[in-house]
């Protein structure tokens, strides 16, 4: 079945450091790919998404590119801030010939802590 | 615009009691999903409902768990005879339609603790 694997955390960085959180997936067909962020005590918020190969999703300085050849969707940010401290989830929706629905398959999450 | 509203935010139940978790989707959204987040794990899909219909319950435990989304009112996730292993955060999400391009909006979750 479909699955998502994220790099294990936690990740601890200093402010203004470069961030990469790796995400790879296993799926038949062509899934849509997402990054969600969960701040302490909150629900999940969509951070960015990409729906086809070579698409780049971006938001709030974060970027991720849909790489079909490596089945990856790594999250990057050039300069992190303390306010970026949160849990980041990579996820996919499997598209099955137009009959799919919005059921998300999540990775295990990566805890990011940014120190001043 | 109100987002997805879940209540209660925190729920404590003794073993053997029933837990009822409520989810009011974004106004106009007719698709609801429930996910469970066990401690230090990612979210796992439980069930997908449209108004008055269960579309996919492949992630629901076969016993003690049930879900509904009536024509009027919130979606309810019901857990009967709770056990310690049911302690988790339960998240509801809603969307206006189906498909891989559709964003799901999440509630803040209900954190269930079974003592």
């Amino acid at each position: 079945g479909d699955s998502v694997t994220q790099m294990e955390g936690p990740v601890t960085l200093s402010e203004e450091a470069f961030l990469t959180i790796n995400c790879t997936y296993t799926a038949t067909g062509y899934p849509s790919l997402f990054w969600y962020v969960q701040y302490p005590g909150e629900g999940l918020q969509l951070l960015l998404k990409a729906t086809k190969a070579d698409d780049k999703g971006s938001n709030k300085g974060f970027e991720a590119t849909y790489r079909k050849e490596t089945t990856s969707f790594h999250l990057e940010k050039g300069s992190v801030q303390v306010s970026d401290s949160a849990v980041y989830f990579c996820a996919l929706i499997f598209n099955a010939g137009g009959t799919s629905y919005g059921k998300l398959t999540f990775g295990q999450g990566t805890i990011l802590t940014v120190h001043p | 615009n109100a987002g997805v509203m879940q209540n209660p935010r925190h729920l404590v139940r003794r073993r053997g009691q029933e837990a009822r978790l409520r989810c009011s989707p974004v106004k106009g959204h007719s698709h609801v999903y429930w996910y469970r987040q066990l401690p230090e794990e990612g979210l796992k899909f439980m069930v997908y409902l449209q108004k008055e219909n269960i579309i996919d319950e492949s992630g629901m435990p076969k016993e003690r768990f049930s879900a509904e989304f009536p024509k009027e009112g919130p979606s309810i996730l019901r857990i009967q005879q709770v056990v310690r292993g049911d302690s988790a955060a339960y998240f509801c999400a809603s969307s206006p339609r189906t498909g891989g391009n559709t964003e799901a909006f999440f509630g803040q979750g209900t954190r269930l603790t079974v003592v």
Side-chain angles (χ1 to χ4, degrees):
Chain A
D2 302 341
S3 67
V4 177
T5 302
Q6 288 180 234
M7 67 182 288
E8 299 215 3
V11 175
T12 303
L13 295 173
S14 298
E15 205 164 27
E16 299 184 2
F18 184 83
L19 168 71
T20 300
I21 301 178
N22 290 339
C23 171
T24 57
Y25 66 89
T26 301
T28 54
Y30 303 98
S32 297
L33 301 173
F34 303 80
W35 276 100
Y36 279 84
V37 58
Q38 184 181 28
Y39 298 102
E42 301 293 323
L44 277 71
Q45 302 174 24
L46 178 65
L47 182 59
L48 53 85
K49 69 178 182 182
T51 57
K52 61 182 187 296
D54 299 325
D55 269 2
K56 177 187 281 188
S58 61
N59 185 25
K60 299 180 182 179
F62 291 89
E63 292 183 340
T65 301
Y66 189 142
R67 301 285 187 202
K68 181 169 174 286
E69 63 277 13
T70 54
T71 61
S72 65
F73 193 54
H74 304 321
L75 182 69
E76 296 183 337
K77 186 174 185 181
S79 177
V80 294
Q81 305 299 313
V82 173
S83 57
D84 293 327
S85 298
V87 183
Y88 292 81
F89 292 95
C90 187
L92 66 81
I93 289 177
F94 173 59
N95 294 307
T99 61
S100 68
Y101 51 86
K103 171 183 171 182
L104 287 154
T105 298
F106 286 91
Q108 68 269 38
T110 301
I111 299 172
L112 171 66
T113 302
V114 180
H115 291 300
Chain B
N1 287 330
V4 176
M5 303 300 292
Q6 289 188 249
N7 63 81
R9 291 288 306 275
H10 300 275
L11 181 61
V12 179
R13 284 287 178 266
R14 296 185 187 279
R15 281 179 295 171
Q17 290 185 318
E18 178 180 286
R20 278 182 180 246
L21 288 63
R22 286 176 290 277
C23 168
S24 296
V26 173
K27 187 176 181 181
H29 287 191
S30 58
H31 304 266
V32 166
Y33 311 82
W34 285 92
Y35 295 84
R36 177 165 65 174
Q37 183 178 30
L38 293 169
E40 299 184 11
E41 291 188 18
L43 281 77
K44 305 290 186 189
F45 169 79
M46 298 183 75
V47 61
Y48 162 48
L49 309 103
Q50 292 182 28
K51 280 290 187 181
E52 300 184 89
N53 292 304
I54 296 174
I55 307 302
D56 181 349
E57 56 182 347
S58 59
M60 287 270 276
K62 294 288 187 289
E63 298 178 351
R64 301 188 297 107
F65 284 72
S66 62
E68 63 178 14
F69 188 17
K71 187 176 180 181
E72 301 292 337
S75 176
I76 305 289
L77 179 67
R78 182 182 178 207
I79 311 172
Q80 296 178 289
Q81 299 176 310
V82 296
V83 300
R84 288 230 171 97
D86 297 333
S87 295
Y90 292 82
F91 289 94
C92 171
S94 75
S95 65
R97 57 190 177 277
T98 62
N101 293 334
T102 304
E103 178 180 352
F105 293 82
F106 281 79
Q108 293 182 303
T110 293
R111 283 157 178 81
L112 172 67
T113 302
V114 179
V115 297

